[in-house]
Each structure stands twice: as C-alpha cells, then as structure tokens.
Amino acid sequence: MTAATGSREVFATRAGFLLAAAGSAVGLGNMWRFPYLASENGGAAFVLVYVVLTLVLGIPLMLAEFGVGRRGQRAPIGSLRKLGGRGWGALGYLFVGVGGLILAYYSVIAGWTLRYGLEAVFVGFAPSSADHFAAVSSGVDAVAFHVAFMAATVLIVVVGVKGGIERASLLMMPLLFLLLAALALWAATLEDAGTGYVVYLKPRFEQVLNPDVWRAAASQAFFSLSLGMGGMLTYASYLKRDQNLPESATAIAFTDFSVAFIAGLLVFPVIYSFGLQDAVSASTIGALFIAVPSAFESMGPLGRVVGFVFFLVLALGAITSTISLLEVVTASVMDEFGASRRKAALWAGTVVTLLGVVPALDTDALGLLDKIVGEFLLLAGGLILALFAGWRLRGPVREELLAGASPFWQRQLRWILMVLRFVVPVIVAIVLVFSLGGTAAAVRSFFAG
Ligand code: TRP
C-alpha cells in the first residue's frame, strides 16, 4: 500500500478499456453455455428472459463494480477495505479466491480449444469425435494444454495493463468479432440451417413462467458478464475519471449478448445440418467439443479451415477472459504484498495452474466447480457488491458514476441506481435461495461417488 496513487497503471484509451472489459465478458460462456441453455430452456423465451436480466441485474451490477473500482483505485480487497473498512476488505478475499477457482477450471476448457485448433491445422479432426474427446478432455494431455494456456495468460498479464491487457484486447477482440460473423454467415448457407435456427429459438413462451428458466438465465448473466467476483471492479480501478461508465456498461452488456446470440446462430445450423443432435443432449460440453468437430471432420479439407477458425474464435474469447481473471489475483497480490507485477503474476499463475490440475484430471470435478461458481459463489458475490455499492457506499458510488457520464447517462443513472438498491438484491437473494438446494445436492452426489 506504499505505492502512490499517481503511479497506478491506467488504460491508455477509452476503446482499450471497453474492449478489455468486453474481452473479459465475451468468452467460453457465450459460445459454450448460452446456446445450449437457450435451446434447453425455452428458445426465444429464454433469450427474452436473459435480455431482461441483463438489463435489470447485469448493467446495474456492472456499474456497481465500475463505481467501486474506479473510486477505490485498488483491486477488490484493497478497494473494499479502503472504502468500507476492514470487514468489507475481508470479503474481498472471497472475490480473489473465486477468481482463482474460476480460472483454474476455465483454463482447462480453454486448453481444449487450443488443442482442437492445433489439431485442425496439423492432423485434422478425429473420425470418432466422442471417443477423441473422452481421450483428451482429462489426463496428461488436458494438464499439458491447461499449463500452456496458463503460461500464455501469465505472459500477457506480466507485461501490464497498457502493453499487455489493453494491447491484446485491441488486437484480439476485433478479430474475434470479424471471424465470428464470417462463421455465422457460412453457417447460414448450410442445408439445414433453418432447422437449427428453429431448434435454437423456437419460442416456448410458457417457459417464461418457469422459475428454473429465470434461475438459469440469472446465473448465466453473472458468469457471462464477469460479475460477482470483482473482475470488472479491477479493470475499472485502472481508469481515470473521464470514462462514461453507464454508457460503457451498456455497450459491454450489449456486445456480450450479441456474441452469445450469434454463437447460437452458428452452432445450431452446424449441428442440425450434419445430423448431430444426439451428441448435444449428451452433455453441455458435447455441443462444442463433440458435435461441432465431427461436423468439421465430415466436411473434409474445408472443414479443417473452418474448424481452425472456429476454435481460434473460442481461444481468443477464452484468453481475453483468462487474463481478466488472472489480473484480479495478480493485482490483489501486488496491492496487498507490495509485490512487483512480475512476481505477483508468476506466483498467482503458478498457484492457479496447480489448482487446475484437479479439473484437468477429472471432468466431473470440473463440472462441479462450474456449478458451485455459477450457481452460488458469483451470486453471493454479486449480492455483497450490490449491498456495498447501493447502500454502504451509496453517495460516493453515485458521485463516481456521475463523473465522466454524459447528461443523458446522468439522467439514466437515477433509475439504474434505484434498481441497484431495491431490485437487484431482492432478485439475487431469491435466485440464490432457489439455487442452494441443487448446488448442495450436486456436491453431495459428487463426494458420494
Ligand atoms: N465472462 C467470461 C465468459 O463468459 C468468463 C469470465 C471471465 C468470468 N472473468 C470472469 C466469469 C469473472 C465470472 C467472473 O466466458
């Protein structure tokens, strides 16, 4: 805590911050979870519920993190302690722990995308994609690619906010958008694209009344927007007061939703045009790492090109997310121990890499971690942040969010902050109560074998 505030790193450009935060949000959650959840939970009805929750929970909570982070000019532990006192600071440790936990298993899945991308180039996709996935998704191979992905992540974070995170995001995110759009256009030309769209989006509007659909959409919104563990808070701590935060949050949420929606427009036509629907229902991960590769395999040489682009898009989305997760832990170690960025990133990266060996050896453990994080830890973290920003630190957060906001967004802030105080905590608490039983049951059955 000896470093002067003036020496804190900053994002050099507004676009740099926007793309870094969008990069954190856009990731495997958009391409792996969203399309699957939508088709399982009422198609267009789920999309509708998801959009509502993005507006009602997502944007206010992202603003809570932005406000606290830019105000505190520290990573979660430091900002909460500085602005709220020791007790709140202790809660910051929860966020850092959750960040490390997510990164540990997320990097394993990211490692799969790296592997599949390289396979497309060098050996082609395996003829029996289910067997192949079973062989490489856990074990020594999975550990190796997890380690490689973590190493790449550390390399970017070590360089710093401006030269590492910002530069990588400015380069990778536009490329990701471009390639994803190209893939979605290609998918539209497939023979049975229409069937895919229908399965993805066929509205089953009675599902809007199903509490489980709301629960699934809420936890997806948290995960996809990187909320509930101080990720957005940490990035905002590298901002000066000229960024229009309400506008930024809206743009990021919109971008994140668009990518998720378009990912569905890509994945479903592929699956239905190649008659692979059975592989999808087998597991959530199935759609991405079993059904889609087997479609590429049956396409011959063109499949290798398209398949490479597909897994490149996934890997780009993943690495802009892993750097944000590692940055939370790294920045906290720097703040708390006065460590250099280099030391902090290496240390944090090593601990998380070791932690990730468990999910890399056991896909059930990976699934369990994902469930605990998505259905419990992020929601609890979001509740804490909403109460902190909306009640404990109401005045300063309001003032912080007004600074840099255009008159239009200053006016919108009035009701956004009302929602943050009165609506967000109630909804999140209800969802949390609903989720708890299922999460506890999953933990029990995991340990019961
Ligand atoms: N949002 C990312 C995705 O959808 C994952 C992610 C990055 C994340 N940082 C996070 C999730 C922080 C929760 C919290 O893939």
Side-chain angles (χ1 to χ4, degrees):
M1 295 257 280
T2 41
T5 325
S7 69
R8 189 171 183 80
E9 295 173 80
V10 285
F11 283 104
T13 62
R14 289 178 202 206
F17 167 74
L18 272 176
L19 287 181
S24 171
V26 170
L28 298 170
N30 302 60
M31 288 167 262
W32 154 55
R33 263 211 198 138
F34 182 87
Y36 167 82
L37 282 174
S39 75
E40 286 282 289
N41 288 291
F46 177 87
V47 175
L48 188 78
V49 169
Y50 184 81
V51 169
V52 168
L53 289 180
T54 298
L55 294 174
V56 174
L57 299 181
I59 292 177
L61 265 170
M62 195 181 293
L63 280 173
E65 294 210 17
F66 282 173
V68 172
R70 195 173 67 179
R71 187 80 174 182
Q73 294 286 305
R74 295 273 183 284
I77 302 173
S79 278
L80 285 170
R81 186 193 319 109
K82 184 167 151 189
L83 303 172
R86 294 226 155 258
W88 288 99
L91 288 171
Y93 283 95
L94 172 76
F95 295 148
V96 178
V98 172
L101 205 62
I102 299 176
L103 182 54
Y105 76 82
Y106 196 90
S107 160
V108 175
I109 307 174
W112 300 341
T113 68
L114 183 62
R115 178 196 185 101
Y116 276 65
L118 292 174
E119 279 182 351
V121 176
F122 294 106
V123 291
F125 291 102
S128 167
S129 61
D131 293 343
H132 185 64
F133 181 69
V136 302
S137 57
S138 57
V140 181
D141 286 58
V143 172
F145 281 94
H146 155 64
V147 172
F149 210 91
M150 282 301 303
T153 305
V154 170
L155 277 178
I156 296 173
V157 169
V158 159
V159 181
V161 173
K162 195 171 82 156
I165 296 171
E166 180 167 2
R167 205 151 53 129
S169 307
L170 284 168
L171 201 82
M172 290 174 179
M173 292 307 290
L175 184 63
L176 184 156
F177 298 142
L178 207 75
L179 294 178
L180 180 68
L183 285 171
L185 287 177
W186 163 79
T189 67
L190 292 172
E191 206 180 318
D192 266 334
T195 319
Y197 295 144
V198 169
V199 174
Y200 172 33
L201 293 172
K202 194 174 93 194
R204 293 179 296 272
F205 281 115
E206 72 286 355
Q207 290 294 343
V208 169
L209 298 174
N210 180 350
D212 264 340
V213 170
W214 286 82
R215 196 186 46 72
S219 93
Q220 173 64 11
F222 270 69
F223 188 86
S224 191
L225 292 168
S226 304
L227 298 174
M229 49 69 67
M232 293 298 180
L233 186 160
T234 305
Y235 273 2
S237 77
Y238 301 121
L239 282 178
K240 288 174 289 185
R241 277 190 137 189
D242 60 358
Q243 189 99 16
N244 185 341
L245 293 176
E247 187 186 60
S248 303
T250 309
I252 293 160
F254 178 77
T255 306
D256 186 65
F257 169 72
S258 306
V259 171
F261 187 75
I262 293 170
L265 295 180
L266 162 60
V267 172
F268 280 88
V270 172
I271 290 169
Y272 281 86
S273 296
F274 290 88
L276 300 162
Q277 38 279 21
D278 293 346
V280 181
S281 44
S283 76
T284 40
I285 306 171
L288 224 49
F289 292 96
I290 298 175
V292 175
S294 107
F296 294 142
E297 198 270 333
S298 64
M299 281 168 62
L302 176 66
R304 285 177 66 171
V305 178
V306 181
F308 168 72
V309 174
F310 180 81
F311 284 102
L312 176 64
V313 166
L314 285 177
L316 289 172
I319 197 155
T320 48
S321 296
T322 56
I323 58 181
S324 90
L325 288 160
L326 185 64
E327 180 60 21
V328 174
V329 188
T330 302
S332 305
V333 173
M334 288 168 70
D335 281 359
E336 295 307 301
F337 302 104
S340 69
R341 170 167 286 278
R342 200 188 165 80
K343 263 200 191 136
L346 278 173
W347 189 88
T350 307
V351 171
V352 171
T353 304
L354 291 175
L355 204 65
V357 171
V358 177
L361 292 178
D362 181 357
T363 11
D364 288 340
L366 191 159
L368 182 70
L369 284 175
D370 185 52
K371 207 172 163 71
I372 297 173
V373 163
E375 294 183 356
F376 175 60
L377 293 171
L378 293 179
L379 293 166
L383 184 58
I384 291 169
L385 277 165
L387 295 175
F388 184 69
W391 294 88
R392 171 72 180 82
L393 213 68
R394 182 183 171 200
V397 163
R398 187 170 163 277
E399 185 192 290
E400 189 63 46
L401 293 173
L402 284 169
S406 60
F408 171 80
W409 285 107
Q410 291 189 343
R411 284 195 299 279
Q412 311 311 314
L413 265 176
R414 283 181 59 174
W415 62 267
I416 298 178
L417 289 174
M418 294 286 275
V419 173
L420 177 67
R421 301 185 68 207
F422 296 103
V423 182
V424 172
V426 175
I427 298 185
V428 177
I430 293 174
V431 174
L432 201 53
V433 170
F434 265 104
S435 302
L436 232 46
T439 314
V443 173
R444 252 180 277 127
S445 86
F446 177 81
F447 286 105

